[in-house]
Amino acid sequence: MKLLLIEDEVKLSEALTVLLRRAGYTVDTALDGLTGLNMACTNPYDVIILDRMLPHLDGLSVLKEIRKLKLTIPILFLTAKDAPSDRVEGLECGADDYLIKPFFTEELLARIKALLRRTNKKTTDNTISIGDLTLHILHGEAIKGNEKIQLTAKEAALLSLLMHNVGQVITKERIMEKIWGYDSDANISNVDLYIYYLRKKLNIPNIKTIRGIGYSFEEDTDV
């Protein structure tokens, strides 16, 4: 697996490069946003680790440019900007995860693994399977082990969104946009209500609450 690390703190960049290579990854590095963007657009990477405060081009602008080009590379923000509004802004602009400095190296490695699993999950246009849970989207039916669970259209759409973004934090605002649409009369409390419905029907611990932000579907529930 090949990673791109865009980090302007030289000592941190060097330490992370050693850590990631010891973990078995191939790592390229960039010390400024413009160089990092050029590398991201011209080389294949499995995950990009991106700082927000960078010279020449800040991390948020790098992220926006990558997503504008329709590149779907998983991107993890690694930053000292820890305000809830900063996290929401990063996730809404297309980041797949957001980790605050200082951080535990074990958590960084676990989050990278979670992002990599997103590209390896078993999925078709109408079916997605993670662990022992399978969702048949068109039929609105979930299968957990040998148990079949009927879902409403909204419940199936919400579960599909979460499962297709396993390990990724999905903000409540994004859920509202994707499931209910801009013109809906529904409010943000509908998201919490339908998450409750899913948890009650499925009886699984995978749907995690990210306090003040939204929800995520975690494949490994013991991490």
Side-chain angles (χ1 to χ4, degrees), residues 31-63:
L31 296 175
D32 67 84
L34 190 57
T35 300
L37 176 60
N38 290 334
M39 293 173 68
C41 294
T42 55
N43 297 279
Y45 293 104
D46 296 289
V47 172
I48 295 174
I49 303 167
L50 177 63
D51 189 10
R52 280 195 62 159
M53 295 177 285
L54 294 166
H56 304 315
L57 192 66
D58 67 272
L60 198 63
S61 297
V62 173
L63 170 65

Side-chain angles (χ1 to χ4, degrees), residues 35-162:
T35 300
L37 176 60
N38 290 334
M39 293 173 68
C41 294
T42 55
N43 297 279
Y45 293 104
D46 296 289
V47 172
I48 295 174
I49 303 167
L50 177 63
D51 189 10
R52 280 195 62 159
M53 295 177 285
L54 294 166
H56 304 315
L57 192 66
D58 67 272
L60 198 63
S61 297
V62 173
L63 170 65
K64 289 178 179 178
E65 288 300 317
I66 290 173
R67 295 304 185 229
K68 191 182 297 182
L69 293 169
K70 306 299 183 184
L71 298 177
T72 59
I73 309 165
I75 295 177
L76 166 66
F77 262 134
L78 187 63
T79 175
K81 292 178 73 65
D82 60 352
S85 58
D86 292 325
R87 283 178 281 175
V88 169
E89 183 181 33
L91 294 167
E92 283 293 302
C93 287
D96 297 277
D97 204 351
Y98 203 103
L99 184 59
I100 303 299
K101 298 175 183 177
F103 56 91
F104 291 105
T105 55
E106 295 85 355
E107 182 177 6
L108 173 63
L109 293 174
R111 288 179 183 241
I112 291 171
K113 287 180 181 179
L115 292 176
L116 290 170
R117 283 196 298 269
R118 290 180 54 201
T119 62
N120 295 324
K121 59 184 179 294
K122 182 182 176 184
T123 179
T124 66
D125 289 342
N126 298 318
T127 304
I128 179 170
S129 298
I130 298 176
D132 67 347
L133 180 67
T134 297
L135 172 64
H136 296 285
I137 301 165
L138 291 181
H139 297 117
E141 182 181 75
I143 299 176
K144 187 180 69 171
N146 296 320
E147 180 186 6
K148 293 184 178 181
I149 304 163
Q150 196 62 43
L151 304 175
T152 67
K154 283 282 193 298
E155 290 167 350
L158 175 54
L159 183 58
S160 174
L161 177 64
L162 293 169

